[in-house]
Amino acid sequence: MMFNINDYPYDEKHNYLEIGGEAMIFHCHHYLTNLQRTILDADYIDSSKFLIGSAADAVYNQLTNLCDGLDVDSSKQMAQDIYKVFGYGLIDLSSMNENGCVLKTTKSFFSRTWYQKFGKSSNPVDYYTAGFLAACFAVIYKKDLKDIKSIQTTCLSCEDEINTFEVSIGERNFDVYPPKKPVEFVDVPKVKIDWEHADTITNAFLGAHATMVGNEEGLIPAFGVYLVRNQSDYVNRLQFEFVKEMTNVAGEYGVTLAGELLIEAGHACGFFTYGGIMTSKEWEGAVKPYLKTKEDWIKALAALVNTMGWGYHTAVELSEQKAVFRNYNDFEDLSHLRMYGKSSYPVNWANSGGFTGLMQLIYNTDLVNGNRIDTEEGFRAMRRSKTKYKTKMLKSIACGDDYLEVEIYS
Amino acid sequence: MKYNIKPLFIWAKQRGDANIIDRILVKIIPQLLKDNIKITSNEIENSNEILVSKEIYDLVLSTAQNLVDDTYKEEK
């Protein structure tokens, strides 16, 4: 292996992980497939250009750094390694040359989980890998991204036997973006998690993220979901470009509708992934002995996920009726500032939806007694039958605030 | 003549994704805007009826049926 996740230290001060110049965050398959379907639902938008382009841009930046000084073969190995370690599946770049490649694989996070969650797709869905391969070609063979064409022609999600990608010099079929700014943290005093065991939980799980790497299939099954280590700017650009396109179509109304769906994707992520964490054997052994109240469950979860690179989660107000959560240096806001600068509206839909999902889990299910809802139909039924928590995004670093703040109320 | 699309959304919500109402709306935004309709899922859930043209009714009906993968039967 050319790549070792342990070579990249976790920034405890900012609850942040960077690899090859790219901020890295975990997302689960519920979030990513939901997000991608939301984007594709708006079929009057030519979204394939940014679905591929967002990946190509982030991976190009990352591989340019990781492959600096490496020869062609070593660079290929590095690209294959990160693809696998990050949980996207398996790729073999040995056939890539100066002209590009036709690459086939049966191990694909996006194709597999789309089919698992939504059934057969009418079109290929692994846009990320099309972008990833365009970036590999550009970095390894010193091509300009602007001159590359990268398409997926067959897909497991369409019930094809294999995923096929064609990468070549040709008419570009994806967007390219201007250079982005370096990360800028907002260093203000934090309201710490108001719970005596918070540091104990955080310290117990520091470094645990490094155990979550792709298996022999290049997948990361954990907590009952498939996780992926995303380049934060890849996945957040999907949100930002989608909202931008919806604004072009429908102005503020487009932002409102898109925002509702983006929050819902975060909600599903929080519900399934946090639910999986809070019923895991790791939670049972290292966390549960400290839990007395439902509020303890929420604070413990925040203490644990503060080791995962999403910023520093905390609660400044917490009850069944209403909670106000904060996140210092949350990944969505930092990403927006790097790529787009300031925003006139909050941009932390995934985080806000995640907090909503957490409240739903703790107060509207019987999770604390070990009864987890972990099926799609169970999730839908619960969302229909219970009073919904509502989400009000109050503050956003991209709007000039010092932190993300969101109110969740019933 | 105007047609009430509220029952279509109720039907879809009983069978579809948690966010099915927003999914339907996003699918048909261009057509909604042509009829000057800017309605949200909250407004749909809080209103008794939403009256629209036959064209929009048919569009909501077909979109809901496609997303839910079922056939709507009007309750008598």
Side-chain angles (χ1 to χ4, degrees):
Chain A
M1 290 278 275
M2 295 288 301
F3 180 79
N4 182 353
I5 194 80
N6 293 303
D7 291 343
Y8 301 90
Y10 184 74
D11 177 347
E12 293 180 40
K13 183 179 177 188
H14 301 109
N15 307 88
Y16 173 84
L17 179 68
E18 187 173 298
I19 294 174
E22 289 290 310
M24 299 299 292
I25 51 158
F26 286 103
H27 268 305
C28 72
H29 76 276
H30 292 286
Y31 176 77
L32 290 166
T33 52
N34 207 319
L35 171 63
Q36 188 161 308
R37 188 183 63 174
T38 291
I39 292 167
L40 293 170
D41 270 348
D43 54 11
Y44 39 86
I45 293 172
D46 187 3
S47 53
S48 66
K49 290 191 171 175
F50 67 81
L51 285 163
I52 299 171
S54 298
D57 184 78
V59 176
Y60 180 84
N61 292 332
Q62 191 168 47
L63 277 180
T64 298
N65 289 316
L66 295 177
C67 296
D68 186 28
L70 299 181
D71 62 18
V72 166
D73 287 342
S74 297
S75 295
K76 286 181 177 179
Q77 187 65 51
M78 175 63 81
Q80 292 173 181
D81 285 356
I82 65 166
Y83 188 85
K84 177 182 177 184
V85 168
F86 293 169
Y88 291 108
L90 301 177
I91 50 171
D92 177 358
L93 294 171
S94 58
S95 66
M96 184 177 274
N97 58 30
E98 279 282 344
N99 300 314
C101 67
V102 175
L103 185 142
K104 296 177 184 290
T105 180
T106 58
K107 307 299 181 192
S108 156
F109 164 85
F110 275 101
S111 300
R112 177 173 178 155
T113 59
W114 180 287
Y115 190 78
Q116 178 179 315
K117 192 168 170 73
F118 302 134
K120 186 178 178 182
S121 172
S122 52
N123 294 301
V125 298
D126 196 347
Y127 297 94
Y128 176 86
T129 299
F132 188 99
L133 293 174
C136 290
F137 185 38
V139 171
I140 296 170
Y141 288 98
K142 313 236 180 299
K143 308 291 185 188
D144 193 326
L145 265 183
K146 290 178 181 163
D147 299 328
I148 293 174
K149 181 179 183 184
S150 182
I151 57 170
Q152 185 183 9
T153 54
T154 67
C155 186
L156 298 165
S157 73
C158 302
E159 297 185 350
D160 293 322
E161 290 181 359
I162 204 160
N163 278 11
T164 307
F165 299 89
E166 297 177 6
V167 186
S168 60
I169 294 294
E171 188 177 342
R172 176 166 48 84
N173 60 322
F174 54 87
D175 292 335
V176 293
Y177 304 98
K180 55 195 183 191
K181 294 178 195 162
V183 66
E184 278 185 50
F185 299 110
V186 181
D187 286 320
V188 294
K190 293 174 186 157
V191 173
K192 301 288 243 176
I193 299 170
D194 177 24
W195 187 49
E196 58 184 320
H197 303 296
D199 287 345
T200 305
I201 303 301
T202 299
N203 290 333
F205 285 89
L206 266 177
H209 81 85
T211 64
M212 289 186 273
V213 293
N215 62 15
E216 68 283 355
E217 292 188 290
L219 299 171
I220 310 175
F223 311 121
V225 300
Y226 286 101
L227 295 176
V228 173
R229 290 173 171 274
N230 290 123
Q231 294 85 5
S232 184
D233 289 347
Y234 149 66
V235 71
N236 294 322
R237 196 189 286 280
L238 297 184
Q239 297 192 97
F240 305 146
E241 288 292 315
F242 176 58
V243 172
K244 189 172 86 177
E245 293 291 339
M246 292 297 287
T247 307
N248 292 340
V249 171
E252 273 187 40
Y253 180 52
V255 178
T256 301
L257 287 190
E260 289 293 327
L261 286 160
L262 295 176
I263 287 173
E264 185 62 30
H267 189 147
C269 182
F271 187 86
F272 286 108
T273 306
Y274 293 164
I277 290 172
M278 292 189 283
T279 49
S280 67
K281 63 178 189 304
E282 293 86 351
W283 181 272
E284 186 75 25
V287 183
K288 211 168 171 189
Y290 298 104
L291 306 177
K292 296 190 180 84
T293 66
K294 288 189 174 184
E295 289 70 36
D296 290 349
W297 281 68
I298 290 175
K299 291 171 184 175
L301 192 279
L304 189 157
V305 300
N306 284 343
T307 66
M308 295 292 160
W310 294 316
Y312 183 84
H313 299 67
T314 188
V316 293
E317 189 178 336
L318 183 56
S319 72
E320 182 168 354
Q321 291 73 37
K322 179 185 162 188
V324 177
F325 292 104
R326 281 187 193 169
N327 189 329
Y328 295 88
N329 293 310
D330 73 278
F331 63 89
E332 288 168 291
D333 276 302
L334 296 187
S335 196
H336 196 280
L337 288 173
R338 281 192 294 268
M339 297 189 291
Y340 300 87
K342 294 233 164 145
S343 171
S344 58
Y345 50 79
V347 298
N348 35 60
W349 300 282
N351 263 291
S352 300
F355 285 125
T356 316
L358 179 57
M359 290 288 282
Q360 192 87 11
L361 268 175
I362 297 301
Y363 294 117
N364 277 347
T365 77
D366 197 30
L367 180 89
V368 299
N369 294 315
N371 300 315
R372 181 184 172 204
I373 297 170
D374 61 356
T375 64
E376 197 66 31
E377 193 43 50
F379 176 63
R380 290 179 182 183
M382 184 275 301
R383 297 278 280 128
R384 285 184 206 119
S385 63
K386 295 283 185 181
T387 305
K388 276 205 299 190
Y389 277 102
K390 298 182 181 68
T391 313
K392 191 190 290 180
M393 295 158 69
L394 301 173
K395 292 184 179 177
S396 180
I397 299 170
C399 296
D401 296 310
D402 288 338
Y403 41 78
L404 170 166
E405 191 169 270
V406 59
E407 180 180 323
I408 315 294
Y409 59 103
S410 57
Chain B
M1 185 169 174
K2 294 288 187 181
Y3 297 80
N4 184 14
I5 51 175
K6 170 98 180 190
L8 303 179
F9 286 111
I10 293 172
W11 173 83
K13 192 173 179 189
Q14 287 166 346
R15 290 161 179 79
D17 294 322
N19 57 353
I20 190 71
I21 295 178
D22 287 310
R23 288 191 70 204
I24 294 169
L25 293 176
V26 162
K27 277 265 185 200
I28 62 173
I29 277 187
Q31 293 86 348
L32 290 177
L33 291 176
K34 276 185 194 160
D35 270 31
N36 221 12
I37 298 171
K38 292 184 177 179
I39 195 159
T40 65
S41 53
N42 271 343
E43 289 164 346
I44 289 169
E45 298 207 24
N46 293 329
S47 62
N48 293 323
E49 62 176 14
I50 303 148
L51 299 175
V52 299
S53 65
K54 179 75 165 63
E55 289 73 22
I56 293 293
Y57 179 91
D58 288 344
L59 187 62
V60 172
L61 174 63
S62 61
T63 305
Q65 290 184 148
N66 280 339
L67 292 180
V68 172
D69 197 19
D70 198 357
T71 304
Y72 175 73
K73 293 184 184 68
E74 198 171 347
E75 287 183 14
K76 301 290 179 190

